[in-house]
Structure formats: C-alpha cells, structure tokens
Amino acid sequence: MPQFSDDLFLGTAVAYQGTDTYPNTTTFTGSISTTTLTVTAMLSGDPIVVGMFIDSSTSLTNGTYITAFGTGSGGTGTYTVSASQTVASATIIGSGNALLQNPSPMSVGVGPLGRVYIWDAVPQAKLTTNIVAAVITTATTLTLAAGAGVKSATIYGGATGLQLDCPRAVSTTTGAGSPTSVNITVSGYDYYGQAMSEVIATGTVASTTVSGKKAFFQISSVTASGASVVTVAVGTTDILGAPLRITDRGYVARAGWDNTLAEDAGTMTVAATLTATTTTGDVRGTYLPSSACDGIKRLVMAIALPAIAAGPNATRVGALGVTQA
C-alpha cells in the first residue's frame, strides 16, 4: 500500500502506527481462565505488549492475543486476552504477529505520515464461490476452497488458510429452492494481523447474495449454524477495506477509479467506531467502486488524515480503528 505525505512531519515524537514482526520471541509461564491471563514468570527480558499473539503447546487456541494490560510489572501480572479459554495452566509464547501498541516499529501499514495518504489498489474480480464452494450446510466447519483471486497460504497464527488479494468484504450466496436462514460465521484476520470474525445471515430468499460489512485479508475458517436446505457458497465482494480509519466522508479528498480524472461515484461506508462485535461494520471503513473490479481497474484514493491518525498526538485507534472482534 504505497503512501505519500504532502507535508513534513513535525513534532518531537515519531508517530509509528502499525504492525511488525516482533524481534524476539518471549516465553513466559502462567495460567488462563476465561479471558484473563495471569503471567507468573518471565523467561526472557522482552516486554509483553497489547496486541501480541499467543501460541501454546497446550489446547490454548493459537491466534489469541492480548487486548489490555491489567496489573503487575516487569511483564508479570494479569492481562485481558481476545477469546474465552478454559486452560488451567500453559506455557505461552508471544509470536509477535500483531503488535499494535503506541508507538510501534513497523514494516507494513501506516507511516510516519503527513496529512495525506494515497490508497492505491487494483482489486481482482469478485467471485461468489472462491472461499467456500456451493454446499448444503450442516452445523459444522465448511471446507475452504481457494478459487480465483484467492490462494491457500500459511496465515497469521501459523495455520493454513486463505489469503485474499486485498482486504475486502465477503458474501454468502444461496442456491435455488426454499432456503432457511442460516448464520455463516467467517473468521480470520485483517491486513494488520488482528483476529476478526463476522456473522452473516443468509436469509430466506433463494438465489440471493448477501454481502458482509468487514474487510478480511485472511480467512481461517467458515462455519454454519445449521442445515441450509439449499446450497450456500461464500466468496469475495467488491467492497474494499480502507487501509486507515475514515470516520467521515469529508476525509476522502479524492476517489479516482478506472484511469479517469472524474471523481468516482462509489459508495463510502465510514468506520465503525464503537466496540466491535461479530455484526458491526469495518473498523476502518470500506469503499465500493462504481463499477465491478476486474484486476485491471485501479483505485487511487487520497485520504486526508486528522491529528489523531498522524503526528505527535496520533494513536493506534486513531489510525487503525478500534480493536477487531
């Protein structure tokens, strides 16, 4: 995602926001109950930070990450993690796939920045079956299918999943017949490695495509709440995920599409700024171009950045949005 600053960065603080591979794996011992991690011993001097992924040799789910620091010092103490667990004790390793603290070094993502960011993308054509092929569902995990514009890859957390060409919303498509409403839960990660899930209800109308709201970059699993009677497929949409949080359409200084000078008449959906859930919108916002993506048309959007997203007073939430759910 190329970027361009139209002014110099001024201020005493370096405003780095984003992700990076953590330089040293941190091993520490502790226990976890529901969403509270208690660290009792540090085995190296590296710090524990909000946003760090957790891996384990026990049944603790890979991809769990720390969302808030509680009490303690020197790395020990209590932390809030992203998912409910029932592990009595575990050796936990911080793999450092999603450091989103303030500030953080970075190799991908956001700046140091000036006041304008250029979002430059050439999205592939959407396909309704390139994540899960059409299947009559049961209350189970569905088989991921890497169709056109999607590839099988090792994703965040070390598991095998699907890698999309760019962050974009996904969709469900029902087949012909008389469908019952089924909830499809899509889980994965955003562009910055934050774990995220979305529940999309297929509805009861046959041969209908329902678009989700959140922009996924990687897919780890897709599950169904029950039997769908007719087939259900999961695929990509032309709803593209913004690289930075856009809370007002006025921050879009320019939206160019398909090699034209005229402003594109697409649809901008601003970021969801409240606590994220599996049914809320994208934490940075999305853009639907005025015509179908095809792997040739280019989106060039100039995003004006407020002080909370760039400069000495920038924060992670200001630049990248609230924590995913």
Side-chain angles (χ1 to χ4, degrees), residues 32-226:
I32 188 168
S33 174
T34 63
T35 59
T36 301
L37 167 68
T38 302
V39 176
T40 56
M42 290 288 290
L43 302 184
S44 74
D46 297 325
I48 303 172
V49 296
V50 173
M52 179 179 286
F53 271 95
I54 300 170
D55 291 331
S56 176
S57 58
T58 70
S59 59
L60 180 63
T61 302
N62 284 348
T64 299
Y65 61 95
I66 295 171
T67 60
F69 177 74
T71 60
S73 61
T76 62
T78 59
Y79 300 80
T80 301
V81 297
S82 60
S84 297
Q85 307 292 337
T86 57
V87 178
S89 63
T91 298
I92 304 163
I93 301 172
S95 60
N97 287 326
L99 296 180
L100 294 173
Q101 73 269 34
N102 296 315
S104 69
M106 54 155 310
S107 59
V108 64
V110 184
L113 298 175
R115 294 301 187 203
V116 174
Y117 181 103
I118 301 301
W119 178 14
D120 189 351
V122 184
Q124 297 295 310
K126 67 179 181 181
L127 186 65
T128 58
T129 58
N130 60 354
I131 294 175
V132 173
V135 63
I136 295 178
T137 71
T138 59
T140 187
T141 299
L142 306 183
T143 301
L144 300 180
V150 175
K151 64 181 180 180
S152 178
T154 299
I155 61 175
Y156 292 112
T160 299
L162 299 183
Q163 174 77 61
L164 309 187
D165 64 309
C166 65
R168 59 203 304 171
V170 301
S171 67
T172 64
T173 301
T174 54
S178 301
T180 55
S181 181
V182 176
N183 287 335
I184 301 296
T185 300
V186 181
S187 298
Y189 301 91
D190 69 6
Y191 184 71
Y192 299 101
Q194 289 192 97
M196 58 186 292
S197 294
E198 182 174 18
V199 176
I200 304 174
T202 62
T204 58
V205 179
S207 304
T208 297
T209 297
V210 179
S211 297
K213 304 174 184 176
K214 297 187 178 186
F216 286 85
F217 188 52
Q218 295 178 333
I219 306 294
S220 58
S221 68
V222 177
T223 60
S225 62

Side-chain angles (χ1 to χ4, degrees), residues 252-274:
V252 178
R254 157 76 175 156
W257 176 246
D258 193 19
N259 197 28
T260 62
L261 290 175
E263 193 78 11
D264 184 52
T267 302
M268 181 76 228
T269 301
V270 298
T273 57
L274 300 179

Side-chain angles (χ1 to χ4, degrees), residues 119 169 212-215 239-242 244-249 252 266-272 280-289 301:
W119 178 14
K213 304 174 184 176
K214 297 187 178 186
I239 301 172
L240 310 176
L244 297 170
R245 187 178 77 154
I246 302 173
T247 57
D248 190 289
R249 293 174 183 84
V252 178
T267 302
M268 181 76 228
T269 301
V270 298
T280 52
D282 192 79
V283 300
R284 285 178 285 279
T286 59
Y287 185 73
L288 175 64
M301 180 180 289

